[in-house]
Amino acid sequence: MSKFNKNDNKYIISYAIIMTLVFGSVLAVVALALKPKQDAEVLLEKQNFILKAALGEKAMSTMSDEEITALYSETVKTVVVKADGVKVETEEASINVFKEYKKPKDVRELPVYKVYDQADSNKIKAYVFPVYGKGLWDFIWGYVAVEADLKTLGGLVLDHKGETPGLGARITEQEVQSRFIGKEIFNANGELDAPHFQKGEGNTYEGAHKVDGLSGATITAKGVNNMLDDYLAMYKSFIKAQK
Amino acid sequence: MENLINIFIKSIFIDNMIFAYFLGMCSYLAVSKKYKTAAGLGMAVIFVLGITVPLNWLAYNFLLKEGALTWISADFATVDLEVLKFIVFIAIVAAFVQLTEMVVEKFSPALYNSLGIFLPLIAVNCSILGGALFLPTRDYEFAEAVTFALGSGIGWFLAVVSLAAIREKMAYADVPKPLRGLGITFIIVGLMAFGFMSFGGFELPFKTTEQQQAEQEKSSAKVENKSAESVVNSVANYSE
Amino acid sequence: MSTETIEKTNDKVVEVKKPSEPLFSKKRRQLLSNPLDEDNPITIQVLGICSALAVTVALKPTFVMAVAVTAVLVLANVVISALRNTIPNRIRIIVQLVVVASLVAIVDQVLKAYSYDIWKELSVFIGLIITNCIVMGRLEAFALGNKPWDAFLDGLGNSFGYAWIILAIAFFRELFGSGKLFGFQVMPDGYIGNGVMMSPAGACLLLGVLIWIVRSRSGYVED
């Protein structure tokens, strides 16, 4: 190795270039090779969340990946609407909820997942709406299932990017999410009144709009409340039109 | 502007690099024995964070992000180079640090003697790379990114200087032998972190635009409700 | 900085070694066993603290983090050690960082494809393996001056030393913080999680105590 002068500028520059090329191409190959698998994982998670929101955790917990995909393609139909309730022609698969979240509310394209009964393919079991918002540290998102009566919340699946473990991150827990089941999204006057986490934890609330809160995670809980408010308000015209 | 002040305060106290994320712990613990060195490294962190985070912001938004290359040609709208973000971020940080070291060494030997020795330590300081890695998820504007970088740097500086001050006093304490040094330092950091956690309950001086909107919507909704109520009441009165 | 001087003396010992040395000589076994206790990267050398505190809330992500760090550290050690005679001294830090960053990016992609849930959980902290001082510290102190096989063993030893400490912290944090182990309930029903254990500040206290225990066993005293 002594025939090279290792401190020569030419050597250093060519070394840097060769190294960048080698590692860059290795990385590119790995990324390309794993991309389909990653996309499949993302899609599977989405299908799983949608079905979980509509059918409940228990129905889904024993299903294999293939069964989930099969059930999804059998029972789920999609439409895409805007906040005024008008359908648009965009394909559901091409919509990224996160990218839509960054647009102003009146131009956002909002996918709706209609989950049909497996036994009776004409009967709608639930409407599932994706929601997106901000928690304490980072984005939070989820899927809200509204039952066929168009007012009862049938299920909620929540996920997050970086909420505090043990505090805000508990929104992914089954028990926390199930607190929303059976609550109602409209009040007696037909105005939107989404169920909200209350302050404090360990209380039981009367009525269809208050949900036991998360102690130590007030901001994350508020984020969930705001997210539900925002998105259900945007889906309101669609929901009203279904009645 | 108000938004920037919020981010600034938040990144110093609430999202403190050390006490909220524990980023840059290695050099934090290693140099906090003496107040003077701690202050030197703290200044270097502010400087390097303040420059590299905006640089990385540019790299991310004009090079790496999906659709970021459209300024070259519209054909690149679907190109997504995010997989390269680790390499690009760390290369920018390391290159900048070495460049600074060379420049400082050549033009200001005095500054090099006080600050220069810390620069190699900085390239591997998690807080610098951590600052860059928060960019893709937080989606800052350029001005916000600069503010965030400076705030985080100042937060780190405060944390390291206050720990060093405590440790200098600790020299007079009789700590059990195996606990000396690292052990007791961790316990101090833990207690300081508890202190900083109380900043989490801070109300920021300015409300974000989203919050303002939400409040407006709520108050207008209340007005609507009230008018609806009064209509109902008047109808009820009439029927009576 | 005391660590580096210790390492330098080690390096010299290894350099003198005859090429015919058996694959698992006493010295080489020490490369594996020393970092577990008396030369532990976390408790003695004070390296890699960030992730030790940040990811140890539960055993499962901690375990994945330990595996990821092991993979990156061992591979980076071997690669740098193989390239050690060609790396120009002036840009060696950048070279090391690029090698580590590429390996981390690969780990990131693999995790995303095969363990999507945990990838989401670890998020930023996978990227921070790059600046995990254990990796850079071992590259600087050991891999640059030693043969690939030794570097391999050194990498393995140090990552195991790192792994058992973070797993121990995670064990206590998950047990007392949420009453679970690997996600399974072990505490009796109705156990209310200890919020202090879940917060990073609690992790600091726990690590302080752990260091106390390890150091009183090994008799290591800092002045």
Side-chain angles (χ1 to χ4, degrees):
Chain A
M1 289 297 153
S2 54
K3 62 188 164 185
F4 296 111
N5 176 7
K6 284 204 285 174
N7 287 321
D8 183 39
N9 276 341
K10 265 186 213 148
Y11 179 80
I12 291 180
I13 291 168
S14 45
Y15 193 91
I17 291 172
I18 290 171
M19 203 183 59
T20 317
L21 286 180
V22 170
F23 282 100
S25 45
V26 168
L27 258 186
V29 169
V30 171
L32 273 181
L34 292 175
K35 186 95 169 106
K37 175 83 177 120
Q38 290 171 353
D39 291 347
E41 288 284 322
V42 175
L43 184 68
L44 181 70
E45 187 187 50
K46 184 173 93 179
Q47 297 178 343
N48 191 10
F49 277 178
I50 290 168
L51 290 175
K52 221 162 142 183
L55 308 175
E57 157 82 4
K58 274 202 186 121
M60 301 298 300
S61 56
T62 52
M63 252 183 239
S64 72
D65 295 356
E66 291 77 21
E67 282 170 331
I68 291 172
T69 314
L71 183 65
Y72 182 90
S73 56
E74 188 187 339
T75 61
V76 179
K77 287 194 181 125
T78 57
V79 277
V80 178
V81 296
K82 284 197 170 176
D84 54 8
V86 177
K87 278 182 196 165
V88 281
E89 289 299 308
T90 323
E91 288 271 328
E92 178 272 327
S94 67
I95 291 180
N96 179 331
V97 182
F98 173 59
K99 280 184 190 156
E100 297 296 319
Y101 172 73
K102 303 209 155 161
K103 295 179 189 165
K105 282 182 185 170
D106 51 334
V107 299
R108 277 186 213 171
E109 295 185 329
L110 308 156
V112 177
Y113 304 90
K114 295 185 200 166
V115 182
Y116 286 83
D117 201 313
Q118 203 180 358
D120 178 0
S121 61
N122 288 320
K123 203 176 118 200
I124 287 187
K125 213 167 151 36
Y127 298 88
V128 180
F129 309 112
V131 292
Y132 216 100
K134 265 190 175 160
L136 169 61
W137 302 120
D138 216 319
F139 296 111
I140 51 178
W141 60 91
Y143 292 89
V144 185
V146 176
E147 285 182 5
D149 65 3
L150 290 161
K151 62 177 187 187
T152 314
L153 208 156
L156 177 65
V157 173
L158 294 169
D159 204 354
H160 68 101
K161 200 159 197 173
E163 297 310 296
T164 322
L167 300 173
R170 285 176 55 214
I171 57 170
T172 57
E173 282 178 15
Q174 194 50 42
E175 189 273 318
V176 172
Q177 295 173 2
S178 67
R179 293 177 193 175
F180 281 87
I181 295 176
K183 302 286 173 184
E184 289 180 7
I185 59 172
F186 294 108
N187 65 14
N189 296 333
E191 286 156 353
L192 189 71
D193 186 4
H196 277 179
F197 276 125
Q198 304 296 307
K199 267 210 158 180
E201 188 160 10
N203 309 311
T204 39
Y205 291 97
E206 293 292 319
H209 302 285
K210 288 183 177 173
V211 179
D212 190 20
L214 297 172
S215 94
T218 320
I219 300 178
T220 309
K222 257 189 209 163
V224 173
N225 295 347
N226 291 340
M227 175 167 89
L228 291 177
D229 282 349
D230 279 358
Y231 272 82
L232 288 175
M234 278 187 281
Y235 280 112
K236 195 173 152 191
S237 318
F238 171 81
I239 295 172
K240 296 264 173 183
Q242 299 303 304
K243 279 185 176 166
Chain B
M1 188 61 212
E2 292 169 357
N3 190 19
L4 293 185
I5 295 174
N6 268 350
I7 289 181
F8 190 62
I9 293 175
K10 203 165 169 234
S11 52
I12 294 180
F13 293 107
I14 303 172
D15 292 353
N16 188 287
M17 276 280 180
I18 291 285
F19 297 122
Y21 297 115
F22 293 95
L23 292 179
M25 280 303 266
C26 306
S27 35
Y28 178 69
L29 294 168
V31 299
S32 58
K33 278 184 193 143
K34 289 249 160 50
Y35 175 81
K36 247 189 152 172
T37 43
L41 185 71
M43 297 301 281
V45 166
I46 297 179
F47 175 68
V48 177
L49 254 183
I51 307 280
T52 57
V53 167
L55 282 179
N56 279 325
W57 186 91
L58 293 174
Y60 184 71
N61 282 283
F62 292 105
L63 190 66
L64 297 172
K65 202 164 74 173
E66 185 174 1
L69 288 170
T70 37
W71 58 273
I72 300 176
S73 149
D75 301 341
F76 291 141
T78 55
V79 177
D80 182 1
L81 294 177
E82 275 224 49
V83 65
L84 295 177
K85 72 179 175 202
F86 295 136
I87 295 193
V88 172
F89 287 170
I90 196 70
I92 287 177
V93 171
F96 175 76
V97 167
Q98 287 216 327
L99 208 68
T100 319
E101 198 184 347
M102 286 182 213
V103 171
V104 172
E105 192 177 7
K106 195 153 193 184
F107 294 107
S108 169
L111 186 63
Y112 182 74
N113 283 337
S114 61
L115 197 71
I117 41 168
F118 299 115
L119 285 171
L121 262 180
I122 294 235
V124 290
N125 186 321
C126 314
S127 62
I128 311 287
L129 183 67
L133 286 177
F134 281 126
L135 291 176
T137 59
R138 293 220 180 140
D139 198 41
Y140 285 133
E141 300 284 313
F142 185 71
E144 290 172 336
V146 176
T147 320
F148 159 73
L150 289 176
S152 301
I154 293 170
W156 205 92
F157 173 84
L158 277 182
V160 77
V161 163
S162 44
L163 180 65
I166 296 178
R167 283 184 79 175
E168 279 199 358
K169 293 278 178 237
M170 285 294 296
Y172 305 106
D174 184 22
V175 179
K177 268 190 183 156
L179 196 56
R180 266 181 212 170
L182 188 61
I184 191 69
T185 309
F186 264 116
I187 293 175
I188 297 170
V189 174
L191 295 175
M192 286 168 79
F194 278 127
F196 262 74
M197 269 163 79
S198 56
F199 285 117
F202 251 30
E203 195 88 10
L204 289 171
F206 300 104
K207 296 213 164 77
T208 60
T209 41
E210 277 167 41
Q211 281 171 326
Q212 280 168 351
Q213 272 175 6
E215 271 179 14
Q216 271 171 7
E217 273 166 28
K218 260 183 201 159
S219 55
S220 61
K222 263 183 202 157
V223 172
E224 269 171 34
N225 279 350
K226 267 186 194 153
S227 55
E229 266 170 34
S230 60
V231 170
V232 171
N233 284 343
S234 59
V235 170
N237 288 339
Y238 182 76
S239 66
E240 269 172 14
Chain C
M1 298 301 103
S2 56
T3 338
E4 276 180 26
T5 47
I6 296 170
E7 279 320 316
K8 292 261 161 62
T9 50
N10 273 358
D11 292 356
K12 268 174 209 148
V13 178
V14 183
E15 295 289 26
V16 178
K17 214 162 42 185
K18 297 276 169 337
S20 61
E21 196 177 331
L23 271 184
F24 287 102
S25 66
K26 192 163 171 248
K27 261 171 222 143
R28 285 183 166 162
R29 263 179 287 144
Q30 274 177 355
L31 285 180
L32 267 178
S33 66
N34 272 353
L36 293 184
D37 195 9
E38 51 202 86
D39 199 17
N40 188 284
I42 294 186
T43 63
I44 309 292
Q45 303 178 39
V46 204
L47 298 172
I49 307 289
C50 312
S51 52
L53 294 168
V55 302
T56 52
V57 186
L59 277 167
K60 211 168 127 196
T62 311
F63 183 74
V64 175
M65 188 68 180
V67 173
V69 168
T70 308
V72 171
L73 179 53
V74 169
L75 287 173
N77 247 357
V78 171
V79 171
I80 290 293
S81 165
L83 294 175
R84 69 184 186 281
N85 290 327
T86 67
I87 298 174
N89 196 38
R90 261 165 60 200
I91 57 164
R92 69 171 198 287
I93 301 260
I94 297 192
V95 172
Q96 290 165 9
L97 285 174
V98 169
V99 170
V100 177
S102 315
L103 289 170
V104 169
I106 291 172
V107 167
D108 184 59
Q109 294 294 314
V110 171
L111 273 182
K112 192 178 174 190
Y114 291 99
S115 186
Y116 189 69
D117 296 341
I118 293 181
W119 175 79
K120 280 197 317 191
E121 215 165 318
L122 291 174
S123 63
V124 180
F125 291 100
I126 299 176
L128 290 175
I129 297 177
I130 300 171
T131 46
N132 187 322
C133 327
I134 295 184
V135 180
M136 288 305 290
R138 294 325 292 168
L139 293 182
E140 265 299 277
F142 197 87
L144 273 179
N146 287 283
K147 297 209 185 76
W149 174 244
D150 291 321
F152 175 79
L153 291 178
D154 178 77
L156 218 52
N158 274 285
S159 29
F160 286 156
Y162 169 80
W164 89 256
I165 296 277
I166 63 169
L167 285 171
I169 299 173
F171 175 83
F172 287 111
R173 284 182 80 183
E174 192 176 3
L175 182 63
F176 294 116
S178 52
K180 295 174 183 170
L181 286 179
F182 275 109
F184 295 107
Q185 193 78 31
V186 285
M187 288 293 197
D189 273 350
Y191 176 80
I192 297 171
N194 182 338
V196 173
M197 282 293 174
M198 291 314 240
S199 75
C204 259
L205 299 183
L206 204 59
L207 187 52
V209 174
L210 196 66
I211 289 171
W212 189 359
I213 296 169
V214 171
R215 285 189 174 179
S216 40
R217 275 197 45 216
S218 65
Y220 177 91
V221 176
E222 231 178 281
D223 35 43

